Amino acid sequence: MLYTARCEEFQTEKGQQQAVMMLENFKIEGLVVIGGDGSMKGARALAQKGVCTIGLPGTIDNDLAYTDYTIGFDTAVNTALSAISNLRDTSSSHGRVTIIEVMGRHCGDIALYAGIGGGAEIVIVPEDPFDPLDVCRQIVEGRNKGKRHCIILLAEGAPVTSQELSEFIRKHTAMDSRVTVLGHVQRGGSPTSFDRMIASRMGAYGVKILMEGKSSRAVGIRGNEIVDYDIFEALSMERKANEELIELSRILSI
Amino acid sequence: MLYTARCEEFQTEKGQQQAVMMLENFKIEGLVVIGGDGSMKGARALAQKGVCTIGLPGTIDNDLAYTDYTIGFDTAVNTALSAISNLRDTSSSHGRVTIIEVMGRHCGDIALYAGIGGGAEIVIVPEDPFDPLDVCRQIVEGRNKGKRHCIILLAEGAPVTSQELSEFIRKHTAMDSRVTVLGHVQRGGSPTSFDRMIASRMGAYGVKILMEGKSSRAVGIRGNEIVDYDIFEALSMERKANEELIELSRILSI
Amino acid sequence: MLYTARCEEFQTEKGQQQAVMMLENFKIEGLVVIGGDGSMKGARALAQKGVCTIGLPGTIDNDLAYTDYTIGFDTAVNTALSAISNLRDTSSSHGRVTIIEVMGRHCGDIALYAGIGGGAEIVIVPEDPFDPLDVCRQIVEGRNKGKRHCIILLAEGAPVTSQELSEFIRKHTAMDSRVTVLGHVQRGGSPTSFDRMIASRMGAYGVKILMEGKSSRAVGIRGNEIVDYDIFEALSMERKANEELIELSRILSI
Amino acid sequence: MLYTARCEEFQTEKGQQQAVMMLENFKIEGLVVIGGDGSMKGARALAQKGVCTIGLPGTIDNDLAYTDYTIGFDTAVNTALSAISNLRDTSSSHGRVTIIEVMGRHCGDIALYAGIGGGAEIVIVPEDPFDPLDVCRQIVEGRNKGKRHCIILLAEGAPVTSQELSEFIRKHTAMDSRVTVLGHVQRGGSPTSFDRMIASRMGAYGVKILMEGKSSRAVGIRGNEIVDYDIFEALSMERKANEELIELSRILSI
């Protein structure tokens, strides 16, 4: 356990030189770094200093373009689902609009997956244009069709805060609205089978290519295959919105 | 399912007359009302209008003086415990002060039970005097003793908001501090064994005394016995702080 | 962590002398033993050899007469409840009799609590007379009233094994019957709030009376109060069947 | 809810004619059947009788060759993981060999995924040759390396029953061994995010191709893409052992 959470340190020249020295002291010949954007950049810096280093995508945000899934994402979504299930009880008994803000930085995947899986009426993600009046229209239409309440999943990277949206809804519909910000509850807990499995597969793969002499590679999963890219190339790939799922969340919420 | 959540309606003369009429229409001879303060008062009003009515304590807040436990409290505490367990992962890996705000209105029991069970360093409840500088002192002492991080359970009825406390801590200690407000996640989910058991016992007891012709009684649990009081008397009892548990939370956090 | 699970060793003269020696070596002046019947007897033996020793009731079985609840019981019941909830899905979709065998040695409390909380149609415990033909009669009556399936909670101490009962039911009713033996799944997992709370209270109480110079005491909970008895006296008390709950399980299963 | 669990009925000529008639009565123009092998064959029979019918793979067994994952599999594996986590507590405190038998009919995937994710020392599946003496050798080697206990995941389709294996181990090693058969606990419970997501995607896809006039198609997932095959073709594909995962379970158990 190295406590690298404060990535700033790991990203300075001094921090990296210290890391190289420590690895030499302990005669560590290869390194597998698990983390998000920042850890990956640190891994690449170490590789450039001659340490055989491989990166594994460890973040709940699922915001790395080169891999379909990051380690931790599935656990975070299941935690969000469990919260939605609890919140539905109060939301329906009180006939309210319930806004659930989930994490993901600039990526809407936690909101999208938890929204589809949890049967949310509306999902708001940064990857998809958003008009608050549209949201109000959907809420009122749902009400007219007999829906007693409404659950909205809001990604933290969306162009509106949960508090702002809640006030807007109270003003423009006849309905009461409440906010729950899930926060760091999503960044912990016992990992799911899916996360353990991709972590095990990526970890074994990472060790294998390290032993083959590779370095500065980012390991990921594409389709159902474990793959690896040059770290620099991997980090410069551009994430595309998952149009299939955005469309699916619309279809299922009707 | 009657959707009485908006208790205001149930507490008006008109609402109560409507209730009496409906009960007569459906030839319902006895009524068991489950709820908190508001529902209990409504139950008493119905009893005064001649409907045989019994009240059961259904609230996560555990804020009714006449009963050791209310139905829903144990489930809420277990939900809070599960959240604490998740939050501990980020709290310890980032070496932070993590403030977790839990519900309970004017009652600190959710914070107290979840704090003791979850191993919180500090528990702040309305029943116990509180000085923010004391809290900072405890945090710094813990840090000096080698504790990398600190978890604070804060009851919503405490004399400070979680946001205010977080800013105060950041200003008066060298540590970073984050807030999670659990919110309505605590008011839902599958009930625990303890809640199902006391609900079953109180429910059967309520039906039994209804059949014996009693009315306007509040059912509760004292020690491990099911008991009943006059609703008015029950609601006018004064809650006392649980000194044993407040002391216990202090001893265990050292 | 002392790995005392194999209590036989702890109950021999030689094992106890070794324990006394170890305690002296480490200058341990007082001991809190957590366990069931066997550990309690070992604790008493140590106390008789002059070591200040207190016993805490740690067993999922809830089979100690001197305490309302043992540490671990509530967690085991909640695990059983979660299993019942899963098993209900297959039981109802296949229209079967589902027999769930739970632990508890000679005590039926896990079966009784999980049965009441989980809405079992039939609960079979060692404390209550049992006739397999009665069980078949209840199943057929339920079927005639429109119940598609039937869940039976069977305590391991009951006068019939789950396999025998299943065959008897298949022979004497027109229904298919399946068995699930929960086993050691019940003896693990993250403890519930209730168990953490009584463990914390009993632990603090045990340390307090040790510091007051007491020894050879068994700590327990009665009503909602922590109490202590002489270990010998505590172990010789006779468990009584919980008639209220046995009756309750009958009422709720109609 | 049609209660088609007893697939025999759905597979007779009479049962199928009745189904066609009912669909006509209710003016249902298209049908999505969710189930395993048996339901799929019924779906194909209906399609041959002129009803537009699509099949979705719904079984915890993950035993259909044409799709990477079946709906229900991920939930079953996570339930097994949670049981392993509980069983580990008793297994390690008692220093035992713990054999956990999981479902999957002729397919070892639940055992394989739960074994890798749950850190089992040994995984026994029908797809991989098995020698009980090898298992004993591994247990003894583990013991010699300092492993206090050993967890074995056994698929129900393996060439040995859990009871037989347990007796063999007790006879050929110095260690105690216990069996837990998880049973139908695996076939229920709240679905995971992964299962909800593939079910939602396959469901929407199935409706889309029904509306395009397709029939007698089996919907599945390959890589991360939703795909469809002729039902007959899909059911005649041959499952291959997942060599990557079998190898991974060996590497991780060292």
Side-chain angles (χ1 to χ4, degrees), chain C residues 3 5-6 79 83 85-87 89-90 92-96 148 176 178 180-185 187-190, chain D residues 3 5-6 79 83 85-87 89-90 92-96 148 176 178 180-185 187-190:
Chain C
Y3 292 107
R6 298 165 184 269
T79 301
S85 162
N86 280 19
L87 290 165
D89 291 341
T90 299
S92 70
S93 72
H94 286 66
R96 276 183 193 151
R148 285 185 49 81
D176 191 13
R178 297 295 166 91
T180 294
V181 180
L182 284 191
H184 285 148
V185 174
R187 297 188 75 224
S190 179
Chain D
Y3 293 108
R6 298 165 184 269
T79 301
S85 161
N86 280 18
L87 290 166
D89 292 341
T90 298
S92 70
S93 72
H94 286 66
R96 276 182 193 152
R148 284 185 47 81
D176 191 11
R178 297 295 166 90
T180 293
V181 180
L182 284 190
H184 285 147
V185 174
R187 296 188 74 226
S190 181

Side-chain angles (χ1 to χ4, degrees), chain A residues 127-169:
Chain A
E127 293 88 347
D128 195 38
F130 154 78
D131 178 346
L133 278 175
D134 268 355
V135 168
C136 294
R137 228 169 276 134
Q138 273 179 269
I139 292 169
V140 173
E141 278 170 24
R143 181 91 192 184
N144 292 346
K145 278 190 282 181
K147 289 194 178 188
R148 284 185 48 80
H149 75 115
C150 174
I151 286 178
I152 299 178
L153 260 284
L154 181 82
E156 66 174 334
V160 67
T161 71
S162 46
Q163 214 52 58
E164 287 164 8
L165 181 62
S166 183
E167 276 155 35
F168 193 90
I169 289 170

Side-chain angles (χ1 to χ4, degrees), chain C residues 100-114:
Chain C
I100 306 171
E101 184 179 317
V102 293
M103 295 182 86
R105 296 202 307 171
H106 303 298
C107 174
D109 278 9
I110 295 181
L112 197 51
Y113 278 68

Side-chain angles (χ1 to χ4, degrees), chain D:
Chain D
M1 197 74 84
L2 296 176
Y3 293 108
T4 60
R6 298 165 184 269
C7 294
E8 310 88 43
E9 204 183 318
F10 192 36
Q11 280 171 48
T12 63
E13 176 65 25
K14 201 184 137 202
Q16 288 159 9
Q17 280 177 351
Q18 202 182 347
V20 172
M21 222 176 57
M22 295 295 273
L23 291 166
E24 279 171 7
N25 286 351
F26 286 100
K27 295 191 198 306
I28 292 168
E29 294 168 23
L31 189 68
V32 178
V33 173
I34 308 177
D37 213 70
S39 307
M40 282 288 181
K41 281 178 186 152
R44 195 167 144 258
L46 287 185
Q48 285 171 331
K49 292 193 186 316
V51 182
C52 285
T53 311
I54 299 289
L56 258 59
T59 163
I60 62 164
D61 298 334
N62 210 34
D63 59 353
L64 295 168
Y66 81 93
T67 183
D68 286 354
Y69 296 106
T70 55
I71 301 165
F73 171 66
D74 186 64
T75 302
V77 175
N78 277 288
T79 301
L81 271 183
S82 161
I84 294 172
S85 161
N86 280 18
L87 290 166
R88 185 182 301 281
D89 292 341
T90 298
S91 184
S92 70
S93 72
H94 286 66
R96 276 182 193 152
V97 174
T98 299
I99 303 172
I100 306 171
E101 183 179 317
V102 293
M103 295 182 86
R105 294 203 308 171
H106 304 298
C107 174
D109 277 9
I110 295 182
L112 197 51
Y113 279 67
I116 291 172
E121 272 70 29
I122 298 164
V123 177
I124 302 166
V125 294
E127 293 88 347
D128 195 38
F130 154 79
D131 177 348
L133 278 175
D134 268 355
V135 168
C136 293
R137 226 168 278 136
Q138 272 178 270
I139 292 170
V140 173
E141 278 170 25
R143 181 89 194 184
N144 292 345
K145 276 190 283 182
K147 289 195 179 189
R148 284 185 47 81
H149 75 115
C150 174
I151 287 177
I152 300 178
L153 259 285
L154 181 81
E156 66 174 336
V160 66
T161 71
S162 46
Q163 212 54 57
E164 288 164 8
L165 182 62
S166 183
E167 277 155 34
F168 192 90
I169 288 170
R170 271 202 291 262
K171 207 179 286 171
H172 290 79
T173 70
M175 289 181 76
D176 191 11
S177 166
R178 297 295 166 90
V179 166
T180 293
V181 180
L182 284 190
H184 285 147
V185 174
Q186 297 159 84
R187 296 188 74 226
S190 181
T192 58
S193 166
F194 185 86
D195 273 335
R196 292 173 191 223
M197 192 52 97
I198 64 169
S200 300
R201 290 174 69 190
M202 290 182 188
Y205 186 98
V207 170
K208 198 194 73 177
I209 63 175
L210 266 183
M211 287 167 66
E212 291 168 6
K214 288 193 186 173
S215 183
S216 199
R217 306 295 293 176
V219 176
I221 185 165
R222 283 274 200 202
N224 211 356
E225 299 290 314
I226 306 300
V227 292
D228 65 298
Y229 298 95
D230 173 76
I231 288 184
F232 185 81
E233 189 193 335
L235 293 185
S236 62
M237 289 183 194
E238 218 166 307
R239 277 194 82 247
K240 282 175 206 143
N242 192 326
E243 299 294 351
E244 181 203 344
L245 297 190
I246 290 173
E247 178 61 19
L248 184 59
S249 88
R250 267 199 216 99
I251 292 172
L252 294 179
S253 68
I254 296 171

Side-chain angles (χ1 to χ4, degrees), chain B residues 36-220:
Chain B
D37 213 71
S39 306
M40 283 287 181
K41 282 178 186 150
R44 195 167 144 258
L46 287 185
Q48 285 170 332
K49 292 194 185 314
V51 182
C52 284
T53 310
I54 300 288
L56 258 60
T59 161
I60 62 164
D61 298 334
N62 210 34
D63 60 352
L64 294 169
Y66 82 93
T67 184
D68 287 353
Y69 296 106
T70 55
I71 301 165
F73 172 65
D74 186 64
T75 302
V77 175
N78 277 289
T79 301
L81 271 183
S82 160
I84 293 172
S85 162
N86 279 18
L87 289 166
R88 186 183 299 284
D89 291 342
T90 299
S91 185
S92 70
S93 71
H94 287 66
R96 277 182 192 151
V97 174
T98 298
I99 302 172
I100 306 171
E101 183 179 319
V102 293
M103 296 182 85
R105 294 202 308 170
H106 304 298
C107 174
D109 278 10
I110 295 181
L112 197 51
Y113 279 67
I116 291 173
E121 272 71 28
I122 297 163
V123 177
I124 302 167
V125 294
E127 293 89 346
D128 195 39
F130 155 77
D131 177 347
L133 278 175
D134 268 355
V135 169
C136 293
R137 225 167 280 135
Q138 273 178 268
I139 293 170
V140 173
E141 278 170 24
R143 181 89 193 184
N144 292 346
K145 276 191 283 181
K147 288 193 179 190
R148 285 186 48 80
H149 74 114
C150 173
I151 287 178
I152 300 178
L153 259 285
L154 180 83
E156 67 173 335
V160 67
T161 71
S162 45
Q163 213 53 59
E164 288 164 7
L165 181 62
S166 183
E167 277 155 33
F168 192 90
I169 288 169
R170 271 201 292 259
K171 207 179 288 172
H172 291 80
T173 71
M175 289 181 77
D176 191 12
S177 166
R178 297 295 166 91
V179 166
T180 293
V181 180
L182 283 190
H184 284 147
V185 175
Q186 295 159 85
R187 296 188 75 227
S190 180
T192 58
S193 165
F194 185 86
D195 274 334
R196 293 173 191 224
M197 192 52 97
I198 64 170
S200 300
R201 290 173 69 190
M202 290 182 188
Y205 186 98
V207 170
K208 197 194 72 176
I209 63 175
L210 266 183
M211 287 168 66
E212 290 168 6
K214 289 194 185 172
S215 184
S216 199
R217 307 294 293 176
V219 177

Side-chain angles (χ1 to χ4, degrees), chain C residues 153-243:
Chain C
L153 260 284
L154 181 82
E156 66 175 335
V160 66
T161 71
S162 46
Q163 213 53 59
E164 287 164 8
L165 181 62
S166 184
E167 276 155 34
F168 192 90
I169 288 170
R170 271 202 291 262
K171 207 179 285 172
H172 291 80
T173 71
M175 289 182 77
D176 191 13
S177 167
R178 297 295 166 91
V179 166
T180 294
V181 180
L182 284 191
H184 285 148
V185 174
Q186 296 158 86
R187 297 188 75 224
S190 179
T192 59
S193 165
F194 185 87
D195 273 334
R196 292 173 191 224
M197 191 53 95
I198 64 169
S200 301
R201 290 174 69 190
M202 290 182 188
Y205 186 97
V207 171
K208 199 193 70 176
I209 62 175
L210 266 183
M211 287 167 65
E212 291 169 5
K214 289 193 187 175
S215 184
S216 198
R217 307 294 293 176
V219 177
I221 185 165
R222 283 275 200 202
N224 211 356
E225 299 290 313
I226 305 300
V227 293
D228 64 298
Y229 298 97
D230 173 77
I231 288 184
F232 185 80
E233 188 193 336
L235 294 185
S236 62
M237 290 184 194
E238 219 167 306
R239 273 196 82 249
K240 281 174 206 145
N242 192 326
E243 299 294 350

